[in-house]
Every structure is written in C-alpha cells, then in structure tokens.
C-alpha cells in the first residue's frame, strides 16, 4: 500500500517532533517588528538619559500558556546590548495564577524602545498557545488530535505554528511547498482525483499527498488513488462516521470546514484522526501582559 511504512504502519505526516524555533526566522520577524515600530527613531525614549539603567517586571494578568520567550528576548537584545531577561516560568508552561513571569534589566532606552514589539509578539503567541490548549482539553480521552491550518496572521506563520505545538496541537503543512493538498479546483483543473494524485506522486521526494473530499464518493476516489490523508470537508456527522470507517487503516483522516468548539466532542466521537481549525491562528485573543519599571 502506497501510504504505509515498512511493517505496515501508516505514515502520519502530522505526528512529528516539534522543532525548536529557528533563530534565523526569529530574528527576521523581530527585525521587521522593530523597524515597523521604530521608524527613524524612538522620540519618547530620548527623554531618558542614554546611560540610565532600568529594571522591569513582566506581569501576566490572566491564566495562560506562556509561549514566545525567544521572540521576546530577541526584541530587547536587538536594541539593548547587555540586557538580561530572567524568566520565572518555563516556556510552554500553563500559568494558572497571574503574577510576575519575567524580569528585564539593562539600558533603559533600549528596554523602552523594544517593549511594545516584544509584548505584541509574546501576547499573540501566548494567545495562540492558550486557545490551542483549551480546545485540546475538549478532545482529551479520545484518539482525535487538533491541527492548525495555513490561516495564520501574515508574517507570523512559523511563530504561530510553534505556539500551536506549545499548546498541545499539531501542525498541518507549513506552506504550499512542503506537501500536496488536492482541493476542488485542483481536481477540476486536472480532470479527476486519480489524475491529480498520480501527478503528485511523480513529484517524488517523499512528499505526502492529501485529498479534500466533499462527499463519500470522493472519499472512495481518494482512497483508490492512494492518498496519504483524506480531508473530510463540511461533512454531516453521520457521513463523517461513515467516511472514517471507510478510511481507517488505509489513510489518515482529517475533519475540517466550519468546525466550532461545540462540535468537537461529537466529531471526536467518530474516531477521526485529526480535526483542523483555522480559528486557532486567525481568531485569537491576545493575552494580557504588561511590562512595568520598578
């Protein structure tokens, strides 16, 4: 069978180890954020003598999964050489009690100039990780796992997908370059699911192939074509159960399309392998954090 490892185990493209944040990607995002905020210089920071040192405390105002320390640190280090950031809570930890989670010491001007960009990145990534963790808890006890999508905030793809992992979720493809997802328009342009999958197979290089199915007939077509993953788009619950039974043992199953929090328990009850939700990264609420000089 095309979509099996030696020994008969299905390949699971989503169940891969979480990668540590790439330093290059972190620096690129931080530099873009700082350039956007600083422009030609921080006028307000010049109110403070250049030689003045400062100490600040980072206050978490609500329960959250803390995520984004590397981005937060990089903002200060880019503008304030010698700055020290001491974290009192580990990355990806769930913090139930609001309070001080980090201390920042160093040149006052640099801390003031980097503050907003650092907080913007941190509160966004904390928001993504916290929402992911909340929804993952709704799926606990079953086989179904939570996936993100490519519906991320522009420029924050790598960072938000890292935050999803921090919250206990899993990553779908990073972009258009690392996997093939055959959707409705691809099928129409190619003529059939079989033709689209056959062309994708010829690419080689170990790419996994997913087919989006809109009904049970397309599920069967995707399986016959040898898809690695079958996405079940906007399936009614009974059809979803039927689709999962057809797919089981032949491919990875993914429920997707207008899925809400209230639907998660019933969807999990079908035994589907994954459920993907764009809201993890596009409908997030930033976590309340503030930095105060002491």
């Amino acid at each position: 069978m095309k979509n099996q490892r030696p020994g008969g185990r299905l390949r699971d493209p989503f169940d891969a180890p979480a990668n540590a944040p790439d330093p290059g990607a972190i620096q690129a995002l931080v530099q873009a954020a700082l350039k956007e905020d600083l422009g030609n210089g921080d006028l307000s920071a010049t109110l403070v003598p250049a030689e003045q040192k400062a100490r600040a405390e980072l206050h978490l105002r609500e329960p959250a999964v803390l995520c984004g320390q590397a981005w937060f640190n990089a903002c200060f280090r880019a503008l304030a050489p010698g700055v020290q950031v001491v974290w009192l809570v580990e990355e990806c930890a769930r913090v139930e009690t609001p309070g001080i989670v980090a201390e920042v010491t160093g040149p006052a001007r640099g801390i003031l100039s980097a503050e907003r960009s650092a907080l913007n990145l941190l509160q966004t990534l904390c928001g993504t990780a916290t929402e992911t963790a909340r929804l993952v808890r709704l799926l606990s006890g079953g086989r179904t796992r939570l996936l993100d999508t490519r519906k991320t905030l522009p420029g924050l793809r790598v960072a938000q997908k890292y935050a999803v992992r921090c919250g206990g979720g899993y990553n779908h493809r990073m972009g258009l370059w690392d996997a093939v997802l055959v959707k409705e328009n691809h099928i129409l342009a190619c003529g059939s699911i079989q033709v689209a999958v056959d062309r994708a197979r010829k690419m080689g290089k170990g790419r996994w192939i997913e087919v989006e199915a809109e009904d049970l007939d397309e599920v069967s077509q995707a399986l016959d074509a040898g898809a690695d993953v079958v996405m079940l788009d906007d399936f009614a619950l009974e059809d979803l159960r039927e689709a999962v039974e057809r797919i089981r043992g032949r491919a990875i199953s993914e429920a997707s399309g207008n899925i809400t929090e209230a639907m998660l328990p019933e969807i999990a009850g079908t035994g589907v392998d994954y459920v993907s939700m764009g809201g993890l990264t596009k409908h997030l609420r930033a976590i309340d954090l503030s930095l105060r000089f002491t």
Side-chain angles (χ1 to χ4, degrees):
M1 193 177 294
K2 291 180 180 178
N3 58 339
Q4 286 189 339
R5 292 180 180 142
R9 288 186 60 200
L10 284 169
R11 292 189 292 116
D12 188 338
F14 310 129
D15 190 10
N19 294 323
D22 174 63
I26 292 171
Q27 287 300 321
L29 178 55
V30 164
Q31 290 300 322
L34 292 173
K35 182 178 180 181
E36 176 182 60
D37 205 27
L38 287 170
N40 294 324
D42 182 352
L43 299 178
S44 301
T46 60
L47 302 174
V48 178
E51 68 279 4
Q52 185 169 327
K53 304 295 182 182
R55 177 183 180 276
E57 295 174 337
L58 177 63
H59 293 259
L60 176 67
R61 304 295 187 185
E62 60 184 311
V65 174
L66 192 66
C67 176
Q69 293 182 7
W71 287 265
F72 184 88
N73 295 350
C75 285
F76 290 105
R77 289 169 183 162
L79 297 183
V83 72
Q84 296 292 319
V85 181
V86 177
W87 288 94
L88 308 179
V89 177
E90 291 185 359
E91 176 80 337
C92 299
R94 172 77 187 180
V95 183
E96 297 291 350
T97 305
I100 299 169
V101 294
E103 299 170 349
V104 182
T105 56
R109 280 190 181 182
I111 293 174
L112 289 167
S113 295
E115 174 188 1
R116 185 68 268 157
S117 295
L119 287 174
N120 284 349
L121 289 167
L122 187 67
Q123 67 188 18
T124 299
L125 299 186
C126 286
T128 301
T130 301
E131 177 66 0
T132 300
R134 188 179 69 84
L135 296 177
V136 164
R137 287 196 293 273
L138 297 179
L139 294 170
S140 62
R143 62 177 286 123
T144 305
R145 291 168 286 187
L146 186 64
L147 271 177
D148 58 21
T149 71
R150 286 168 43 242
K151 296 176 182 177
T152 52
L153 300 179
L156 292 178
R157 174 74 52 84
V158 172
Q160 283 194 286
K161 280 183 172 283
Y162 166 78
V164 167
R165 282 284 190 173
C166 274
Y170 292 77
N171 296 148
H172 206 281
R173 57 180 179 162
M174 183 63 67
L176 296 172
W177 50 268
D178 60 339
V180 176
L181 175 50
V182 179
K183 298 173 72 70
E184 177 186 17
N185 285 335
H186 300 103
I187 297 168
L188 291 171
C190 291
S192 71
I193 289 174
Q194 184 69 62
V195 170
V197 172
D198 286 345
R199 290 176 180 173
R201 287 278 174 227
K202 290 177 182 178
M203 295 180 187
K205 298 182 181 180
R207 292 184 177 90
W208 52 273
I209 300 169
E210 180 168 8
V211 173
E212 180 185 73
E214 296 186 336
D215 54 41
L216 290 169
D217 180 59
E218 289 191 345
V219 170
S220 296
Q221 291 180 51
L223 293 172
D224 290 342
D228 299 302
V229 184
V230 181
M231 178 191 291
L232 307 166
D233 185 43
D234 278 325
F235 272 51
L237 200 61
E238 288 305 314
D239 287 343
L240 183 59
R241 289 195 184 94
E242 173 64 23
V244 169
E245 288 305 312
R246 291 191 190 186
I247 294 168
R248 199 183 308 280
R250 299 180 66 187
I252 303 299
S253 58
E254 175 193 343
S256 187
N258 298 310
I259 292 172
T260 65
E261 174 185 338
M263 298 164 63
L264 287 178
E266 286 188 326
I267 289 175
T270 68
V272 70
D273 294 312
Y274 289 95
V275 56
S276 56
M277 298 180 70
L280 287 180
T281 51
K282 70 170 183 170
H283 293 158
L284 67 91
R285 183 183 68 82
I287 295 300
D288 189 2
L289 292 144
S290 66
L291 191 71
R292 293 294 182 91
F293 277 26
T294 61

